[in-house]
Amino acid sequence: MTAEGKKILIVDDEPDVREFVQGVLEESGYQFITAADGEEGLAKAKAESPDLAILDVQMPKKDGFRLFSELRADDATKSMPVIMLTGIGDRTGLRFDAEDMGEFLGSEPEAYIEKPVDPEKLSETVGKLLSGQS
Amino acid sequence: MNRRLRPLLSPGEGIEDLMPELVWTTPKGRQEHELKAETRIGRGLGNDIQLPDFMASTFHATIACQDGAWIVEDNKSTNGTFVNGDRQQRAILHDGDVITIGDVSLTFNNAVRPQSSTIFIRENAAAETLAGGKAPAGARHTGDILDSVFRDDAELTQFKTSSLTVSADVAGQRVADAGVLERRLKVSYEISKGVAATLGLPEIMDRTLAALFEIFEAAERAFILLVDPDTGEVGSAAVRRRVPDDTEEISMSRTALRQAMDRREAILCMDALSDARYSDARSVVSLGIRSMMIAPLVFQNQVLGAIYMDTRHGAGRFSEPDLELITVAAGQVAGCVANARLHEQVVRSERLAAVGQTVAGLTHCIKNILQGITGGAYLVDKALAKGDMDRAFSGWDMVKRNNAFMEDLVFDLLSYSKERQPEYRATDLNELCEDVCKLAAARGDTKGVQVTFEPDRTLEPVEVDPTGIRRSVLNLAMNAVDACANKGGSVTVATESPRDGFVRVMVRDTGCGMSDETRAKLFTMFFSTKRSKGTGLGLPVSKKIVEEHGGRIEVASQEGEGTTFTVCLPPTQLQKGECDDGRREEDPDR
């Protein structure tokens, strides 16, 4: 399956971030589903079965960590690759990476990208995950 | 005057090894016993420490010093020797260990002595010279450490020790005459007044010296010396002279000072000048020091400094009751010094914590804004390359939006950090609020939120800083619009004439309301429910501005139903005169 037609779920309460992520990835022919909070993100993940999810961490209603855990706990979504976007390290003084978060969550997100997001890194990471190279 | 001078005493200089002691309590009161190389403990009469406890054996245990270590050894006692609750045949003792024999618990004290001030009387000794730091005449405090130079290092060897003690524990055993008590009370009162008035340490020290000077008419010079907590050096912190002194030297007996501080003993020197051995000492010759007193500043077994006083007016000008008095003062000053240092530490810690929190919050905030600016710029570049003008405009809007957030952040930061006095002007609060409503309505239009203004037309002009209050009310109104943005709703800004001493501006919204958790963090810096749209500084800034006016902000909120912020402001300020003619000044910033 080529990149074209693959569905990416973007969950972030910042419209600017959603727009930016779409702008970065749109040339590759992906389809986008967006959600503005964790609850909406979970509902859309179950309803639309995206091929990959990009999650913010700090969100209203359901934060990114909780959303990630619930996605992993559901058979329908547990194999979906997840990229987490976060600037949480700035506030906590901690630096999260996939391994750290994995220890915390009991399962590792496939990738972690810190805000402000580097478009090339985002594009490359998404490309690898969707082509199964991760 | 910040020049760095040489210290009176170097760190650790003259420290003497004191023998450890055992301390315990009996029905007769507190007991102390200084240990010797070997100390026997038991019920029998032949022991160094006799314990009248039937659980103790006749010769129960020994404490001895072996190779520098203090060791307690049980002497085959029937009921055993316990160290910190554990039965021991032989154990090395550490400071603070508790040895239990029978029902008696003896504390091994190997650090510093409990505070007591034994009076030493020296009848034929001279004060050697300790010259150096210049000190202007009259009361003053230096703040910086003055150093002093010893010109003569003679030892004081002829102290006679009296049995008089003035520690708090035994003060009652001594009957002081009414005059002494009165003087002591006066000094205590003066120091206490300084503490009660929350004066700074330098002022309290000056006040102490002034009170002592008033009482001791013979006194010519008095110093308070403090140990620098960082360097351990001793320097003068407060100086008072009866007569202006051209030499501006601080000179005193280093040995006496050292002895007072090392042994935690107050010292009374009856006649310094008559000692032939020190007749060439500079202070003795040039200043003619005759009588002097030194009392160490001791707080919780730590020596923080000393109070020194002397006179040239003859021998025997100070007495034992005088020394008692100066010792009482020293105890109080020591408490003040300890408090002041503790306070400094707390302030420093809090400042560091606040800086850390601020930096973390700022970094987060700026990163969010940077995400918008760099993200928007990326989209613009990409769209221009493709000739997609719609996408370029969209990216450009993102850049502008986040640029505005950055401007807000900088403005709020400046407002929050700046210590400022409001610039009061007679201000029409209705007019100010109407302006705010226009701005809020413009934002409301884009979000489907209606903004209305309900002025109290009877409201007279009030004395406020219009720029600051506009900022505060605007913050509240914009927040109110944002609170309604998701579910729709309305915002009402209303004014109210003085009631209970305050005029009021109410900002009501029918938005999402607040949880208790949000409400608790409302005025915390960098807390925002608006993510990167909020700097998390708006409400702290608003609160600060209103409080600078002597007002307050009240909050009432119901989650899911809405919130009302009420700004309460005193209608008039103390600073009158700017608008005494009743003219209503226009706000130049409008």
Side-chain angles (χ1 to χ4, degrees), chain A residues 13-14 16 19 23 58 117, chain B residues 371 382 391 394 401 531:
Chain A
D13 61 330
E14 290 296 336
D16 285 353
E19 185 182 346
Q58 289 180 298
V117 175
Chain B
Q371 174 70 69
K382 197 172 163 186
R391 173 64 85 181
S394 169
R401 217 167 26 243
R531 305 294 315 278

Side-chain angles (χ1 to χ4, degrees), chain B residues 418-451:
Chain B
K418 196 173 161 191
E419 285 299 328
R420 58 193 290 278
Q421 279 297 315
E423 293 177 11
Y424 295 111
R425 296 197 180 112
T427 302
D428 184 338
L429 215 47
N430 282 336
E431 203 170 321
L432 183 151
C433 290
E434 198 167 1
D435 278 353
V436 166
C437 284
K438 284 177 189 165
L439 291 171
R443 184 189 287 207
D445 285 346
T446 65
K447 298 172 184 285
V449 179
Q450 190 184 359
V451 179

Side-chain angles (χ1 to χ4, degrees), chain B residues 1 22 27 45 55 131 137 208 266 304 309 320 334 350-351 359 363 461 493 536 575 579:
Chain B
M1 189 170 90
L22 286 180
L45 289 173
M55 296 281 283
T208 303
L304 306 175
M309 183 176 281
E320 291 179 11
E350 283 179 351
R351 193 175 294 145
V359 169
T363 307
V493 178
Q575 294 88 338
C579 294

